[in-house]
Amino acid sequence: MSDDRANLLGDYLRARRALVTPQQAGLAPGPNRRVPGLRREEVAMLAGISADYYLRLERGRDKNPSPQVLESLARVLHLDEVEQEYLLGLAAARPKSRRRRKPERVPARLHQLLASVQVPAFVEGRAFDVLASNRLAVALSPRLQPGYNRLRSLLLDPEEQAFQQDWTRSAEGFIAAFRKYAGDDIDNPRFVELVGELALSSERFRTLWARHDIRTLDGGTTTVNHPVVGELRLHRDKLPVDGLLLVLYYADQGSESDEKLRLLASMASPSQASHQPPNVAGPLTDLL
């Protein structure tokens, strides 16, 4: 994350203009281009603002661009609806006093729900920390036990990479969603810790984090490769509960994947249940 809280907007504009080619913007590429993507003056011209004003935006010298200016920039930078909302949010962000965040704790009723549902289910926090899970989730993947971080597993654990049928796409989606969740909350110790660890350990993370991609990671369908039952095509739903997310995986009723999930359920020992998180010290269980 940037160390300059006041210039998150400039960081985002620089990253996004580097991803738009002159051809995409309707410009001739021309010779001797020294920067990837669009030049500052090209973005300014296409957005209908002065080059000097755009330079001030990128350098954090103007912190109050109008919504009209930001919408023009979003058009030039080919931002989708989610990315445009993020851009507007960065411009609206104001310095705020530090406040102590409540620890991410799973309510007792969610533990009861996890124990009762007949599909793999778990609870995750804003940084993709697994906070609670049922035995079917652990049977689906041992990395869905409390104490694991899904983003760290995806980027650093070879078994998780083999588990994901389309690991490249999964990594892109998770990192873009993580940036969206982080927003302008760059002082959150858990985000700082995780970004620092992954920036040092994963070249893929460094590359994708620098792109400033923004994406939601909500419901959908995914395919995974289980080491015992083989390929599983599963639907995923994410339900917000008290600032956390309840995640459920399930297959089409009567499908081959449904039969395989039932097989996993029969193989899962009750001793694998992980409804309560272990005693993990540090930011994982005590976010500020």
Side-chain angles (χ1 to χ4, degrees), residues 1-273:
M1 295 183 182
S2 171
D3 291 331
D4 185 359
R5 182 183 184 85
N7 201 27
L8 290 172
L9 175 62
D11 292 343
Y12 189 61
L13 291 174
R14 278 193 298 274
R16 299 316 296 181
R17 73 177 170 86
L19 300 176
V20 180
T21 66
Q23 294 92 329
Q24 289 174 319
L27 302 173
N32 301 322
R33 295 188 68 88
R34 297 181 179 179
V35 296
L38 297 177
R39 300 185 178 102
R40 291 191 184 95
E41 57 269 24
E42 292 171 334
V43 173
M45 176 191 68
L46 293 168
I49 59 178
S50 72
D52 179 67
Y53 180 59
Y54 180 76
L55 179 61
R56 295 205 305 274
L57 287 178
E58 275 206 3
R59 293 184 174 176
R61 295 175 181 170
D62 191 309
K63 300 180 177 60
N64 297 287
S66 69
Q68 292 80 12
V69 167
L70 293 173
E71 289 167 3
S72 295
L73 290 172
R75 172 181 51 79
V76 173
L77 299 176
H78 293 201
L79 303 186
D80 62 22
E81 184 177 344
V82 173
E83 293 165 337
Q84 180 172 325
E85 180 183 356
Y86 179 79
L87 175 65
L88 292 168
L90 287 181
R94 297 289 182 269
K96 47 192 175 185
S97 59
R98 288 181 58 87
R99 65 185 188 279
R100 184 173 181 82
R101 285 192 172 275
K102 295 180 180 179
E104 291 187 316
R105 302 195 186 282
V106 181
R109 69 183 191 279
L110 272 187
H111 288 295
Q112 296 171 2
L113 179 60
L114 289 173
S116 64
V117 296
Q118 301 302 307
V119 297
F122 61 95
V123 177
E124 68 181 13
R126 292 175 62 213
F128 294 115
D129 292 315
V130 179
L131 304 175
S133 59
N134 64 11
R135 65 187 180 90
L136 295 180
V138 178
L140 178 65
S141 170
R143 295 165 296 282
L144 294 180
Q145 297 182 70
Y148 280 76
N149 178 273
R150 298 181 68 210
L151 184 57
R152 182 194 293 115
S153 294
L154 185 66
L155 291 167
L156 302 182
D157 191 324
E159 291 185 1
E160 179 65 21
Q161 293 169 10
F163 182 73
Q164 300 289 335
Q165 188 173 79
D166 191 344
W167 176 80
T168 299
R169 183 177 179 183
S170 295
E172 291 173 354
F174 265 78
I175 293 171
F178 179 58
R179 184 176 279 282
K180 184 178 188 299
Y181 292 157
D184 70 333
D185 193 13
I186 61 173
D187 295 329
N188 186 305
R190 181 57 179 146
F191 293 143
V192 172
E193 176 192 47
L194 191 55
V195 169
E197 176 189 0
L198 294 177
L200 290 173
S201 306
S202 170
E203 181 179 356
R204 187 62 176 160
F205 178 84
R206 292 193 296 272
T207 299
L208 292 174
W209 189 250
R211 289 171 54 95
H212 285 247
D213 290 334
I214 299 297
R215 193 177 305 171
T216 57
L217 196 62
D218 300 318
T221 301
T222 187
T223 301
V224 297
N225 300 309
H226 193 276
V228 176
V229 299
E231 183 179 293
L232 290 164
R233 185 177 185 272
L234 302 174
H235 304 300
R236 177 188 64 238
D237 280 330
K238 291 193 170 191
L239 309 176
V241 182
D242 293 351
L244 307 174
L245 284 174
L246 172 63
V247 186
L248 303 103
Y249 284 96
Y250 57 97
D252 289 326
Q253 189 172 8
S255 66
E256 182 179 356
S257 293
D258 187 34
E259 294 177 1
K260 291 178 178 180
L261 276 184
R262 293 175 187 275
L263 175 60
L264 279 178
S266 68
M267 297 166 57
S269 167
S271 64
Q272 290 178 299

